[in-house]
Amino acid sequence: MSTSPVIEVVDLRKSFGHLEVIKGVDFCVAHQELVFIIGPSGSGKSTMLRCCNLLEQPTQGSVLFKGQDITKPQVDVDQVRQHIGMVFQSFNLYPHMTALQNVSLALRKVKKMPREAAADKALAALEQVGLAEKAASHPNQLSGGQQQRVAIARAVAMDPDVMLFDEPTSALDPELVGSVLNVMRKLREDGMTMIVVSHEMRFAEDAADRVLFVDDGVIVEQGGPAEIFRNAQHDRTRAFLHRVSGH
């Protein structure tokens, strides 16, 4: 694992009106690292994640992507976002398009790939998430788990340097969660750099390199999964883990 961070967040603050949601956080993510962000609902986890690709504009502080401060006004954010894939809670697929068309759209529109090359790349991405046979299916013909895997394929097809996952399984029925986590596990094994906001504690324990516990807009504690889940130092961390997973 290379030591130079892919993403570095410095003194990040975010307010909505008078409400300060993120209160000066610092963290970085190394190449091929999987960083898991956990914490209670409303603690600022998703806002923190969305600041990493400027879907939320930080009120203060910097986000560096491969050493470049992407919060500076002259930065082409759309260009940067091509390198930072994002998977949301809701799948955001176009209902009138097939899985293949959903995945190939950005390749054609953003990367300007010829239709045939984009289709080939999209099919390879669908194969990566185990859905090549569903290429011609529309979203309403797919389960929630399959739709989320198409959304992951769409992000992966762009060859991002890092993938952000914002509660990727929370809209799914429990029996469909495993298929999405398996795809994420495979991405991790293939060396994808990932930041994941999720309540899937067992997955965090199994797959993460580092876990950040966030509460009330600050990083209370961070460390390896064994440290956080087995030997948390802070009462707030221990109370949260006890509540969500009986640790």
Side-chain angles (χ1 to χ4, degrees):
M1 196 184 293
S2 139
T3 51
S4 60
V6 178
I7 285 188
E8 189 174 1
V9 171
V10 183
D11 190 28
L12 183 74
R13 295 174 185 274
K14 176 64 183 176
S15 298
F16 296 99
H18 295 299
L19 179 67
E20 192 175 29
V21 178
I22 305 293
K23 302 172 180 177
V25 301
D26 299 88
F27 70 95
C28 55
V29 181
H31 179 59
Q32 295 189 339
E33 190 178 25
L34 196 170
V35 172
F36 220 96
I37 303 175
I38 63 171
S41 295
S43 58
K45 306 183 301 292
S46 290
T47 302
M48 210 160 103
L49 190 74
R50 290 164 70 88
C51 284
C52 289
N53 68 349
L54 304 189
L55 278 177
E56 295 292 355
Q57 195 68 39
T59 307
Q60 189 182 311
S62 306
V63 178
L64 282 74
F65 172 68
K66 292 183 154 185
Q68 177 194 21
D69 185 350
I70 62 173
T71 54
K72 286 204 156 70
Q74 68 271 26
V75 170
D76 181 346
V77 177
D78 291 333
Q79 180 64 36
V80 170
R81 283 203 194 119
Q82 287 186 44
H83 302 280
I84 305 176
M86 180 118 190
V87 177
F88 300 90
Q89 187 174 336
S90 52
F91 323 122
N92 298 339
L93 300 177
Y94 290 106
H96 63 287
M97 290 184 174
T98 64
L100 188 75
Q101 289 166 336
N102 266 287
V103 176
S104 64
L105 183 66
L107 293 170
R108 291 194 296 112
K109 299 288 186 202
V110 179
K111 291 211 164 180
K112 309 294 185 207
M113 285 177 78
R115 187 177 289 271
E116 201 170 311
D120 289 345
K121 184 104 199 251
L123 190 59
L126 286 170
E127 197 162 328
Q128 210 176 331
V129 301
L131 285 177
E133 80 286 356
K134 298 289 188 185
S137 301
H138 286 76
N140 66 358
Q141 298 170 305
L142 302 172
S143 70
Q146 288 170 332
Q147 289 183 58
Q148 188 60 294
R149 281 151 64 197
V150 172
I152 293 172
R154 176 178 57 192
V156 166
M158 298 292 284
D159 293 325
D161 293 284
V162 59
M163 292 268 288
L164 312 179
F165 290 86
D166 189 8
E167 302 276 13
T169 58
S170 63
L172 301 178
D173 293 332
E175 69 271 18
L176 301 175
V177 168
S179 65
V180 172
L181 295 183
N182 286 340
V183 168
M184 292 170 68
R185 195 174 270 113
K186 184 172 179 302
L187 283 177
R188 189 217 174 318
E189 286 163 5
D190 292 344
M192 177 62 74
T193 307
M194 298 160 71
I195 310 177
V196 180
V197 167
S198 174
H199 291 288
E200 299 292 340
M201 297 299 147
R202 186 166 293 169
F203 181 63
E205 218 169 334
D206 290 348
D209 292 301
R210 205 150 38 93
V211 178
L212 275 54
F213 172 64
V214 175
D215 192 15
D216 195 25
V218 297
I219 297 172
V220 176
E221 187 167 1
Q222 61 174 300
E227 290 171 72
I228 297 297
F229 289 106
R230 302 282 166 220
N231 193 26
Q233 300 300 300
H234 287 261
D235 291 344
R236 280 152 78 183
T237 316
R238 288 196 292 268
F240 169 75
L241 290 172
H242 182 71
R243 215 165 51 242
V244 297
S245 57
H247 273 88

